[in-house]
Amino acid sequence: MRGFFVSIEGIEGAGKSTVLKRLADALRQDGYQVVETFEPGDTEAGKRIRQILLDPQLKGLYPLTELFLYFADRAEHVKKVIEPALQSGKVVICDRFMDSTFAYQGFGRGLDLETLYRLNEIATGGLKPDLTVLLDLDVKTGLGRNRNTGKADRFEQESLEFHQRVREGFLELSKDEPSRFVVVDASEPPEKVFKEVYNRLLERING
Ligand code: TMP
């Protein structure tokens, strides 16, 4: 039996990794086999690609170079991690997937969306998440949360306007594909956010 593929999306500081961890724990308790993963960087090659992508010293990386690095990471990740897990019937929960490319490189950097869709199709071999959870949060709140953790990578150094375009991009993507997306207000208390995501996910897995 084929598994189930969930992606978790949102701006920096939306709480994706916290929700992912709790979801994985809850699903394991329910008896599912779960693989927790993320992009970019969850393969041997991906780790190195991630270092380039997030290096704050690397100023002015050409947007197309950035784009192809994300797709290189994704091609490797789909082939080596996601597809094998799905083929063995597991639930795969991925912190960021293709919608991050559409939101950041498309809406954020201004690259043509139709081109991104076509290239993404090639990188993934047509694989799409069965469900995408969008944790929606005000940009100032999200960036403020991450600042508290003291990290500032290449994206966190981007302007508020850039992150605003990314947030709006995610919301637009969710409107284009309402049956794939579940949009959750990430400003709610973590317990409430988790419960809502968990319930919606169970409905889909069982449906
Ligand atoms: P994160 O691991 O902290 O989420 O960092 C990954 C960064 O990469 C984040 O700022 C979003 C960005 N990103 C893109 O711009 N495009 C993509 O396709 C993906 C997967 C991530």
Side-chain angles (χ1 to χ4, degrees), residues 39-192:
E39 287 193 3
D42 206 14
T43 59
E44 263 320 291
K47 274 186 206 138
R48 301 185 198 182
I49 297 173
R50 181 182 174 92
Q51 281 176 356
I52 302 175
L53 279 167
L54 299 189
D55 186 350
Q57 316 249 337
L58 204 55
K59 307 275 183 215
L61 191 62
Y62 181 48
L64 270 184
T65 311
E66 179 181 282
L67 177 74
F68 282 116
L69 287 170
Y70 279 110
F71 283 142
D73 174 72
R74 186 159 306 136
E76 188 76 3
H77 191 212
V78 167
K79 262 274 174 280
K80 302 260 175 82
V81 178
I82 302 177
E83 273 295 358
L86 291 175
Q87 269 164 24
S88 58
K90 295 179 180 153
V91 178
V92 176
I93 316 179
C94 190
D95 186 336
R96 298 192 183 282
F97 193 63
M98 61 186 202
D99 299 293
S100 277
T101 308
F102 307 145
Y104 283 82
Q105 280 65 51
F107 289 88
R109 300 269 189 244
L111 296 177
D112 175 58
L113 276 174
E114 287 304 322
T115 309
L116 299 192
Y117 294 152
R118 288 214 312 277
L119 293 172
N120 182 66
E121 180 92 10
I122 296 170
T124 60
L127 176 74
K128 271 180 136 184
D130 298 298
L131 177 74
T132 297
V133 176
L134 173 56
L135 298 178
D136 179 52
L137 187 66
D138 167 74
V139 165
K140 279 195 184 142
T141 313
L143 292 182
R145 280 184 186 173
N146 262 6
R147 241 165 238 138
N148 297 337
T149 69
K151 64 168 198 174
D153 62 35
R154 229 166 41 78
F155 285 89
E156 286 153 355
Q157 293 178 350
E158 286 290 341
S159 65
L160 219 53
E161 292 72 34
F162 175 87
H163 290 282
Q164 192 62 40
R165 288 198 298 279
V166 171
R167 180 193 184 188
E168 279 158 17
F170 275 129
L171 287 170
E172 215 163 294
L173 292 164
S174 74
K175 285 182 195 131
D176 287 348
E177 275 184 89
S179 60
R180 176 164 66 88
F181 274 87
V182 166
V183 183
V184 179
D185 178 356
S187 68
E188 297 282 359
E191 185 59 24
K192 195 169 170 211

